[in-house]
PDB file of all heavy atoms in Angstrom:
ATOM      1  N   LEU H1230     -18.670  23.175 -34.329  1.00  0.00           N
ATOM      2  CA  LEU H1230     -19.610  23.736 -35.301  1.00  0.00           C
ATOM      3  C   LEU H1230     -20.700  22.729 -35.658  1.00  0.00           C
ATOM      4  O   LEU H1230     -21.871  23.099 -35.797  1.00  0.00           O
ATOM      5  CB  LEU H1230     -18.874  24.198 -36.555  1.00  0.00           C
ATOM      6  CG  LEU H1230     -19.703  24.904 -37.625  1.00  0.00           C
ATOM      7  CD1 LEU H1230     -20.438  26.108 -37.057  1.00  0.00           C
ATOM      8  CD2 LEU H1230     -18.813  25.329 -38.785  1.00  0.00           C
ATOM      9  N   GLU H1231     -20.350  21.465 -35.782  1.00  0.00           N
ATOM     10  CA  GLU H1231     -21.361  20.441 -36.074  1.00  0.00           C
ATOM     11  C   GLU H1231     -22.387  20.321 -34.954  1.00  0.00           C
ATOM     12  O   GLU H1231     -23.561  20.078 -35.201  1.00  0.00           O
ATOM     13  CB  GLU H1231     -20.689  19.078 -36.291  1.00  0.00           C
ATOM     14  CG  GLU H1231     -20.000  18.941 -37.617  1.00  0.00           C
ATOM     15  CD  GLU H1231     -19.258  17.612 -37.757  1.00  0.00           C
ATOM     16  OE1 GLU H1231     -18.850  17.021 -36.729  1.00  0.00           O
ATOM     17  OE2 GLU H1231     -19.086  17.167 -38.902  1.00  0.00           O
ATOM     18  N   LYS H1232     -21.956  20.501 -33.721  1.00  0.00           N
ATOM     19  CA  LYS H1232     -22.842  20.385 -32.564  1.00  0.00           C
ATOM     20  C   LYS H1232     -23.670  21.647 -32.325  1.00  0.00           C
ATOM     21  O   LYS H1232     -24.689  21.601 -31.641  1.00  0.00           O
ATOM     22  CB  LYS H1232     -22.032  20.120 -31.289  1.00  0.00           C
ATOM     23  CG  LYS H1232     -21.469  18.748 -31.186  1.00  0.00           C
ATOM     24  CD  LYS H1232     -20.725  18.647 -29.864  1.00  0.00           C
ATOM     25  CE  LYS H1232     -20.414  17.240 -29.488  1.00  0.00           C
ATOM     26  NZ  LYS H1232     -19.734  17.167 -28.183  1.00  0.00           N
ATOM     27  N   MET H1233     -23.206  22.780 -32.850  1.00  0.00           N
ATOM     28  CA  MET H1233     -23.842  24.055 -32.551  1.00  0.00           C
ATOM     29  C   MET H1233     -25.292  24.101 -33.030  1.00  0.00           C
ATOM     30  O   MET H1233     -25.612  23.625 -34.116  1.00  0.00           O
ATOM     31  CB  MET H1233     -23.073  25.207 -33.184  1.00  0.00           C
ATOM     32  CG  MET H1233     -23.565  26.552 -32.663  1.00  0.00           C
ATOM     33  SD  MET H1233     -22.738  27.943 -33.404  1.00  0.00           S
ATOM     34  CE  MET H1233     -23.635  28.074 -34.932  1.00  0.00           C
ATOM     35  N   LYS H1234     -26.127  24.689 -32.200  1.00  0.00           N
ATOM     36  CA  LYS H1234     -27.550  24.820 -32.502  1.00  0.00           C
ATOM     37  C   LYS H1234     -27.949  26.280 -32.513  1.00  0.00           C
ATOM     38  O   LYS H1234     -27.277  27.134 -31.942  1.00  0.00           O
ATOM     39  CB  LYS H1234     -28.374  24.095 -31.432  1.00  0.00           C
ATOM     40  CG  LYS H1234     -28.096  22.626 -31.333  1.00  0.00           C
ATOM     41  CD  LYS H1234     -28.840  22.022 -30.163  1.00  0.00           C
ATOM     42  CE  LYS H1234     -28.441  20.563 -30.007  1.00  0.00           C
ATOM     43  NZ  LYS H1234     -28.753  20.044 -28.691  1.00  0.00           N
ATOM     44  N   THR H1235     -29.069  26.532 -33.157  1.00  0.00           N
ATOM     45  CA  THR H1235     -29.694  27.850 -33.099  1.00  0.00           C
ATOM     46  C   THR H1235     -31.076  27.657 -32.496  1.00  0.00           C
ATOM     47  O   THR H1235     -31.627  26.554 -32.528  1.00  0.00           O
ATOM     48  CB  THR H1235     -29.833  28.482 -34.500  1.00  0.00           C
ATOM     49  OG1 THR H1235     -30.748  27.702 -35.269  1.00  0.00           O
ATOM     50  CG2 THR H1235     -28.490  28.546 -35.210  1.00  0.00           C
ATOM     51  N   ASP H1236     -31.636  28.726 -31.952  1.00  0.00           N
ATOM     52  CA  ASP H1236     -32.994  28.630 -31.453  1.00  0.00           C
ATOM     53  C   ASP H1236     -33.675  29.982 -31.550  1.00  0.00           C
ATOM     54  O   ASP H1236     -33.019  31.028 -31.558  1.00  0.00           O
ATOM     55  CB  ASP H1236     -33.040  28.126 -30.009  1.00  0.00           C
ATOM     56  CG  ASP H1236     -34.376  27.476 -29.669  1.00  0.00           C
ATOM     57  OD1 ASP H1236     -35.272  27.419 -30.546  1.00  0.00           O
ATOM     58  OD2 ASP H1236     -34.536  27.026 -28.521  1.00  0.00           O
ATOM     59  N   VAL H1237     -34.991  29.928 -31.629  1.00  0.00           N
ATOM     60  CA  VAL H1237     -35.831  31.125 -31.664  1.00  0.00           C
ATOM     61  C   VAL H1237     -36.489  31.255 -30.304  1.00  0.00           C
ATOM     62  O   VAL H1237     -37.033  30.288 -29.772  1.00  0.00           O
ATOM     63  CB  VAL H1237     -36.909  31.004 -32.770  1.00  0.00           C
ATOM     64  CG1 VAL H1237     -37.877  32.176 -32.715  1.00  0.00           C
ATOM     65  CG2 VAL H1237     -36.257  30.913 -34.136  1.00  0.00           C
ATOM     66  N   ILE H1238     -36.447  32.452 -29.758  1.00  0.00           N
ATOM     67  CA  ILE H1238     -37.090  32.717 -28.478  1.00  0.00           C
ATOM     68  C   ILE H1238     -38.021  33.904 -28.690  1.00  0.00           C
ATOM     69  O   ILE H1238     -37.567  35.045 -28.801  1.00  0.00           O
ATOM     70  CB  ILE H1238     -36.043  32.981 -27.381  1.00  0.00           C
ATOM     71  CG1 ILE H1238     -35.160  31.749 -27.231  1.00  0.00           C
ATOM     72  CG2 ILE H1238     -36.715  33.364 -26.079  1.00  0.00           C
ATOM     73  CD1 ILE H1238     -34.028  31.889 -26.261  1.00  0.00           C
ATOM     74  N   ILE H1239     -39.317  33.591 -28.786  1.00  0.00           N
ATOM     75  CA  ILE H1239     -40.332  34.619 -29.021  1.00  0.00           C
ATOM     76  C   ILE H1239     -41.503  34.415 -28.075  1.00  0.00           C
ATOM     77  O   ILE H1239     -41.747  33.309 -27.603  1.00  0.00           O
ATOM     78  CB  ILE H1239     -40.830  34.624 -30.486  1.00  0.00           C
ATOM     79  CG1 ILE H1239     -41.356  33.242 -30.896  1.00  0.00           C
ATOM     80  CG2 ILE H1239     -39.737  35.116 -31.424  1.00  0.00           C
ATOM     81  CD1 ILE H1239     -41.975  33.184 -32.288  1.00  0.00           C
ATOM     82  N   SER H1240     -42.222  35.492 -27.817  1.00  0.00           N
ATOM     83  CA  SER H1240     -43.419  35.395 -26.985  1.00  0.00           C
ATOM     84  C   SER H1240     -44.550  34.781 -27.800  1.00  0.00           C
ATOM     85  O   SER H1240     -44.523  34.785 -29.022  1.00  0.00           O
ATOM     86  CB  SER H1240     -43.818  36.780 -26.470  1.00  0.00           C
ATOM     87  OG  SER H1240     -44.021  37.647 -27.565  1.00  0.00           O
ATOM     88  N   GLY H1241     -45.530  34.263 -27.089  1.00  0.00           N
ATOM     89  CA  GLY H1241     -46.646  33.601 -27.758  1.00  0.00           C
ATOM     90  C   GLY H1241     -47.945  34.357 -27.633  1.00  0.00           C
ATOM     91  O   GLY H1241     -48.088  35.274 -26.829  1.00  0.00           O
ATOM     92  N   SER H1242     -48.896  33.958 -28.447  1.00  0.00           N
ATOM     93  CA  SER H1242     -50.249  34.492 -28.433  1.00  0.00           C
ATOM     94  C   SER H1242     -51.196  33.318 -28.642  1.00  0.00           C
ATOM     95  O   SER H1242     -50.839  32.336 -29.299  1.00  0.00           O
ATOM     96  CB  SER H1242     -50.408  35.521 -29.555  1.00  0.00           C
ATOM     97  OG  SER H1242     -51.753  35.903 -29.688  1.00  0.00           O
ATOM     98  N   HIS H1243     -52.390  33.409 -28.103  1.00  0.00           N
ATOM     99  CA  HIS H1243     -53.314  32.276 -28.214  1.00  0.00           C
ATOM    100  C   HIS H1243     -53.753  32.003 -29.653  1.00  0.00           C
ATOM    101  O   HIS H1243     -54.254  30.935 -29.951  1.00  0.00           O
ATOM    102  CB  HIS H1243     -54.521  32.467 -27.288  1.00  0.00           C
ATOM    103  CG  HIS H1243     -55.399  33.627 -27.646  1.00  0.00           C
ATOM    104  ND1 HIS H1243     -55.072  34.927 -27.338  1.00  0.00           N
ATOM    105  CD2 HIS H1243     -56.566  33.670 -28.297  1.00  0.00           C
ATOM    106  CE1 HIS H1243     -56.024  35.732 -27.785  1.00  0.00           C
ATOM    107  NE2 HIS H1243     -56.947  34.998 -28.367  1.00  0.00           N
ATOM    108  N   ASN H1244     -53.558  32.933 -30.563  1.00  0.00           N
ATOM    109  CA  ASN H1244     -53.936  32.743 -31.963  1.00  0.00           C
ATOM    110  C   ASN H1244     -52.759  32.399 -32.873  1.00  0.00           C
ATOM    111  O   ASN H1244     -52.877  32.477 -34.093  1.00  0.00           O
ATOM    112  CB  ASN H1244     -54.626  34.003 -32.506  1.00  0.00           C
ATOM    113  CG  ASN H1244     -55.989  34.200 -31.895  1.00  0.00           C
ATOM    114  OD1 ASN H1244     -56.684  33.242 -31.577  1.00  0.00           O
ATOM    115  ND2 ASN H1244     -56.372  35.459 -31.710  1.00  0.00           N
ATOM    116  N   ASP H1245     -51.634  32.023 -32.287  1.00  0.00           N
ATOM    117  CA  ASP H1245     -50.446  31.735 -33.089  1.00  0.00           C
ATOM    118  C   ASP H1245     -50.659  30.559 -34.024  1.00  0.00           C
ATOM    119  O   ASP H1245     -51.277  29.562 -33.658  1.00  0.00           O
ATOM    120  CB  ASP H1245     -49.247  31.414 -32.192  1.00  0.00           C
ATOM    121  CG  ASP H1245     -48.604  32.649 -31.628  1.00  0.00           C
ATOM    122  OD1 ASP H1245     -48.814  33.739 -32.182  1.00  0.00           O
ATOM    123  OD2 ASP H1245     -47.876  32.514 -30.628  1.00  0.00           O
ATOM    124  N   GLU H1246     -50.092  30.692 -35.225  1.00  0.00           N
ATOM    125  CA  GLU H1246     -50.072  29.572 -36.155  1.00  0.00           C
ATOM    126  C   GLU H1246     -49.058  28.550 -35.658  1.00  0.00           C
ATOM    127  O   GLU H1246     -48.155  28.874 -34.877  1.00  0.00           O
ATOM    128  CB  GLU H1246     -49.704  30.068 -37.550  1.00  0.00           C
ATOM    129  CG  GLU H1246     -50.761  31.014 -38.129  1.00  0.00           C
ATOM    130  CD  GLU H1246     -50.397  31.502 -39.512  1.00  0.00           C
ATOM    131  OE1 GLU H1246     -49.701  30.772 -40.245  1.00  0.00           O
ATOM    132  OE2 GLU H1246     -50.804  32.614 -39.849  1.00  0.00           O
ATOM    133  N   LEU H1247     -49.187  27.313 -36.106  1.00  0.00           N
ATOM    134  CA  LEU H1247     -48.351  26.227 -35.602  1.00  0.00           C
ATOM    135  C   LEU H1247     -46.855  26.469 -35.780  1.00  0.00           C
ATOM    136  O   LEU H1247     -46.060  26.125 -34.907  1.00  0.00           O
ATOM    137  CB  LEU H1247     -48.748  24.905 -36.256  1.00  0.00           C
ATOM    138  CG  LEU H1247     -50.091  24.330 -35.803  1.00  0.00           C
ATOM    139  CD1 LEU H1247     -50.409  23.063 -36.592  1.00  0.00           C
ATOM    140  CD2 LEU H1247     -50.098  24.052 -34.313  1.00  0.00           C
ATOM    141  N   HIS H1248     -46.447  27.050 -36.913  1.00  0.00           N
ATOM    142  CA  HIS H1248     -45.019  27.252 -37.146  1.00  0.00           C
ATOM    143  C   HIS H1248     -44.418  28.272 -36.174  1.00  0.00           C
ATOM    144  O   HIS H1248     -43.212  28.271 -35.942  1.00  0.00           O
ATOM    145  CB  HIS H1248     -44.742  27.634 -38.606  1.00  0.00           C
ATOM    146  CG  HIS H1248     -45.162  29.016 -38.969  1.00  0.00           C
ATOM    147  ND1 HIS H1248     -46.474  29.366 -39.194  1.00  0.00           N
ATOM    148  CD2 HIS H1248     -44.434  30.134 -39.153  1.00  0.00           C
ATOM    149  CE1 HIS H1248     -46.539  30.649 -39.502  1.00  0.00           C
ATOM    150  NE2 HIS H1248     -45.320  31.134 -39.481  1.00  0.00           N
ATOM    151  N   LEU H1249     -45.241  29.130 -35.576  1.00  0.00           N
ATOM    152  CA  LEU H1249     -44.768  30.067 -34.553  1.00  0.00           C
ATOM    153  C   LEU H1249     -44.852  29.446 -33.166  1.00  0.00           C
ATOM    154  O   LEU H1249     -43.977  29.637 -32.330  1.00  0.00           O
ATOM    155  CB  LEU H1249     -45.595  31.358 -34.566  1.00  0.00           C
ATOM    156  CG  LEU H1249     -45.510  32.239 -35.797  1.00  0.00           C
ATOM    157  CD1 LEU H1249     -46.458  33.424 -35.665  1.00  0.00           C
ATOM    158  CD2 LEU H1249     -44.090  32.726 -36.017  1.00  0.00           C
ATOM    159  N   LYS H1250     -45.904  28.693 -32.939  1.00  0.00           N
ATOM    160  CA  LYS H1250     -46.190  28.126 -31.624  1.00  0.00           C
ATOM    161  C   LYS H1250     -45.051  27.258 -31.096  1.00  0.00           C
ATOM    162  O   LYS H1250     -44.776  27.249 -29.905  1.00  0.00           O
ATOM    163  CB  LYS H1250     -47.490  27.327 -31.672  1.00  0.00           C
ATOM    164  CG  LYS H1250     -48.185  27.203 -30.326  1.00  0.00           C
ATOM    165  CD  LYS H1250     -49.521  26.530 -30.501  1.00  0.00           C
ATOM    166  CE  LYS H1250     -50.727  27.274 -30.107  1.00  0.00           C
ATOM    167  NZ  LYS H1250     -50.769  28.514 -29.485  1.00  0.00           N
ATOM    168  N   GLU H1251     -44.349  26.547 -31.979  1.00  0.00           N
ATOM    169  CA  GLU H1251     -43.279  25.669 -31.512  1.00  0.00           C
ATOM    170  C   GLU H1251     -42.110  26.438 -30.887  1.00  0.00           C
ATOM    171  O   GLU H1251     -41.280  25.861 -30.201  1.00  0.00           O
ATOM    172  CB  GLU H1251     -42.782  24.747 -32.622  1.00  0.00           C
ATOM    173  CG  GLU H1251     -41.891  25.388 -33.647  1.00  0.00           C
ATOM    174  CD  GLU H1251     -41.354  24.378 -34.654  1.00  0.00           C
ATOM    175  OE1 GLU H1251     -40.381  23.679 -34.317  1.00  0.00           O
ATOM    176  OE2 GLU H1251     -41.918  24.304 -35.750  1.00  0.00           O
ATOM    177  N   TYR H1252     -42.055  27.761 -31.093  1.00  0.00           N
ATOM    178  CA  TYR H1252     -40.967  28.569 -30.542  1.00  0.00           C
ATOM    179  C   TYR H1252     -41.417  29.463 -29.384  1.00  0.00           C
ATOM    180  O   TYR H1252     -40.676  30.354 -28.976  1.00  0.00           O
ATOM    181  CB  TYR H1252     -40.345  29.436 -31.644  1.00  0.00           C
ATOM    182  CG  TYR H1252     -39.745  28.601 -32.739  1.00  0.00           C
ATOM    183  CD1 TYR H1252     -40.364  28.509 -33.987  1.00  0.00           C
ATOM    184  CD2 TYR H1252     -38.583  27.882 -32.529  1.00  0.00           C
ATOM    185  CE1 TYR H1252     -39.817  27.731 -34.991  1.00  0.00           C
ATOM    186  CE2 TYR H1252     -38.033  27.095 -33.534  1.00  0.00           C
ATOM    187  CZ  TYR H1252     -38.653  27.033 -34.758  1.00  0.00           C
ATOM    188  OH  TYR H1252     -38.105  26.250 -35.747  1.00  0.00           O
ATOM    189  N   THR H1253     -42.610  29.233 -28.848  1.00  0.00           N
ATOM    190  CA  THR H1253     -43.141  30.102 -27.795  1.00  0.00           C
ATOM    191  C   THR H1253     -43.241  29.413 -26.436  1.00  0.00           C
ATOM    192  O   THR H1253     -43.784  29.979 -25.504  1.00  0.00           O
ATOM    193  CB  THR H1253     -44.528  30.643 -28.193  1.00  0.00           C
ATOM    194  OG1 THR H1253     -45.445  29.551 -28.334  1.00  0.00           O
ATOM    195  CG2 THR H1253     -44.474  31.446 -29.480  1.00  0.00           C
ATOM    196  N   ASP H1254     -42.709  28.221 -26.308  1.00  0.00           N
ATOM    197  CA  ASP H1254     -42.779  27.442 -25.076  1.00  0.00           C
ATOM    198  C   ASP H1254     -41.782  27.993 -24.046  1.00  0.00           C
ATOM    199  O   ASP H1254     -40.569  27.896 -24.232  1.00  0.00           O
ATOM    200  CB  ASP H1254     -42.472  25.978 -25.395  1.00  0.00           C
ATOM    201  CG  ASP H1254     -42.537  25.061 -24.193  1.00  0.00           C
ATOM    202  OD1 ASP H1254     -42.594  25.555 -23.038  1.00  0.00           O
ATOM    203  OD2 ASP H1254     -42.521  23.839 -24.399  1.00  0.00           O
ATOM    204  N   SER H1255     -42.282  28.555 -22.955  1.00  0.00           N
ATOM    205  CA  SER H1255     -41.411  29.203 -21.972  1.00  0.00           C
ATOM    206  C   SER H1255     -40.468  28.222 -21.274  1.00  0.00           C
ATOM    207  O   SER H1255     -39.356  28.594 -20.903  1.00  0.00           O
ATOM    208  CB  SER H1255     -42.234  29.980 -20.941  1.00  0.00           C
ATOM    209  OG  SER H1255     -43.088  29.111 -20.243  1.00  0.00           O
ATOM    210  N   SER H1256     -40.863  26.965 -21.096  1.00  0.00           N
ATOM    211  CA  SER H1256     -39.944  26.005 -20.477  1.00  0.00           C
ATOM    212  C   SER H1256     -38.795  25.668 -21.436  1.00  0.00           C
ATOM    213  O   SER H1256     -37.648  25.492 -21.011  1.00  0.00           O
ATOM    214  CB  SER H1256     -40.681  24.738 -20.041  1.00  0.00           C
ATOM    215  OG  SER H1256     -41.213  24.055 -21.144  1.00  0.00           O
ATOM    216  N   LYS H1257     -39.099  25.594 -22.731  1.00  0.00           N
ATOM    217  CA  LYS H1257     -38.038  25.382 -23.721  1.00  0.00           C
ATOM    218  C   LYS H1257     -37.123  26.611 -23.784  1.00  0.00           C
ATOM    219  O   LYS H1257     -35.912  26.488 -23.953  1.00  0.00           O
ATOM    220  CB  LYS H1257     -38.657  25.101 -25.085  1.00  0.00           C
ATOM    221  CG  LYS H1257     -37.652  24.736 -26.151  1.00  0.00           C
ATOM    222  CD  LYS H1257     -38.331  24.351 -27.450  1.00  0.00           C
ATOM    223  CE  LYS H1257     -37.304  24.080 -28.512  1.00  0.00           C
ATOM    224  NZ  LYS H1257     -37.200  25.120 -29.516  1.00  0.00           N
ATOM    225  N   HIS H1258     -37.714  27.796 -23.629  1.00  0.00           N
ATOM    226  CA  HIS H1258     -36.920  29.029 -23.610  1.00  0.00           C
ATOM    227  C   HIS H1258     -35.879  28.975 -22.503  1.00  0.00           C
ATOM    228  O   HIS H1258     -34.721  29.359 -22.706  1.00  0.00           O
ATOM    229  CB  HIS H1258     -37.800  30.259 -23.393  1.00  0.00           C
ATOM    230  CG  HIS H1258     -38.671  30.594 -24.552  1.00  0.00           C
ATOM    231  ND1 HIS H1258     -39.655  31.540 -24.467  1.00  0.00           N
ATOM    232  CD2 HIS H1258     -38.729  30.127 -25.817  1.00  0.00           C
ATOM    233  CE1 HIS H1258     -40.281  31.642 -25.629  1.00  0.00           C
ATOM    234  NE2 HIS H1258     -39.724  30.791 -26.461  1.00  0.00           N
ATOM    235  N   LYS H1259     -36.285  28.522 -21.313  1.00  0.00           N
ATOM    236  CA  LYS H1259     -35.348  28.469 -20.179  1.00  0.00           C
ATOM    237  C   LYS H1259     -34.153  27.583 -20.498  1.00  0.00           C
ATOM    238  O   LYS H1259     -33.007  27.939 -20.213  1.00  0.00           O
ATOM    239  CB  LYS H1259     -36.065  27.961 -18.927  1.00  0.00           C
ATOM    240  CG  LYS H1259     -37.009  28.968 -18.329  1.00  0.00           C
ATOM    241  CD  LYS H1259     -37.714  28.420 -17.106  1.00  0.00           C
ATOM    242  CE  LYS H1259     -38.733  29.434 -16.623  1.00  0.00           C
ATOM    243  NZ  LYS H1259     -39.559  28.940 -15.540  1.00  0.00           N
ATOM    244  N   THR H1260     -34.408  26.439 -21.110  1.00  0.00           N
ATOM    245  CA  THR H1260     -33.320  25.524 -21.474  1.00  0.00           C
ATOM    246  C   THR H1260     -32.431  26.149 -22.540  1.00  0.00           C
ATOM    247  O   THR H1260     -31.203  26.081 -22.457  1.00  0.00           O
ATOM    248  CB  THR H1260     -33.890  24.181 -21.973  1.00  0.00           C
ATOM    249  OG1 THR H1260     -34.723  23.629 -20.956  1.00  0.00           O
ATOM    250  CG2 THR H1260     -32.789  23.207 -22.317  1.00  0.00           C
ATOM    251  N   SER H1261     -33.037  26.776 -23.553  1.00  0.00           N
ATOM    252  CA  SER H1261     -32.254  27.400 -24.627  1.00  0.00           C
ATOM    253  C   SER H1261     -31.413  28.558 -24.104  1.00  0.00           C
ATOM    254  O   SER H1261     -30.247  28.712 -24.485  1.00  0.00           O
ATOM    255  CB  SER H1261     -33.178  27.895 -25.731  1.00  0.00           C
ATOM    256  OG  SER H1261     -33.783  26.811 -26.380  1.00  0.00           O
TER     257      SER H1261
END
């Protein structure tokens, strides 16, 4: 449980605000 992580996997848009943009990276999505 201490090691367990959560992640957000969402599509991106060129007008995304920064707090959304960090969860729209497709290479990070593949790892998650």
Side-chain angles (χ1 to χ4, degrees):
L1230 184 56
E1231 285 176 334
K1232 287 181 165 182
M1233 191 182 81
K1234 299 174 185 161
T1235 66
D1236 204 0
V1237 174
I1238 299 176
I1239 56 175
S1240 57
S1242 171
H1243 65 282
N1244 290 327
D1245 280 340
E1246 295 180 29
L1247 288 176
H1248 72 283
L1249 295 177
K1250 205 174 240 355
E1251 76 176 280
Y1252 298 107
T1253 63
D1254 181 348
S1255 61
S1256 64
K1257 186 175 176 254
H1258 290 170
K1259 287 179 185 174
T1260 303
S1261 293

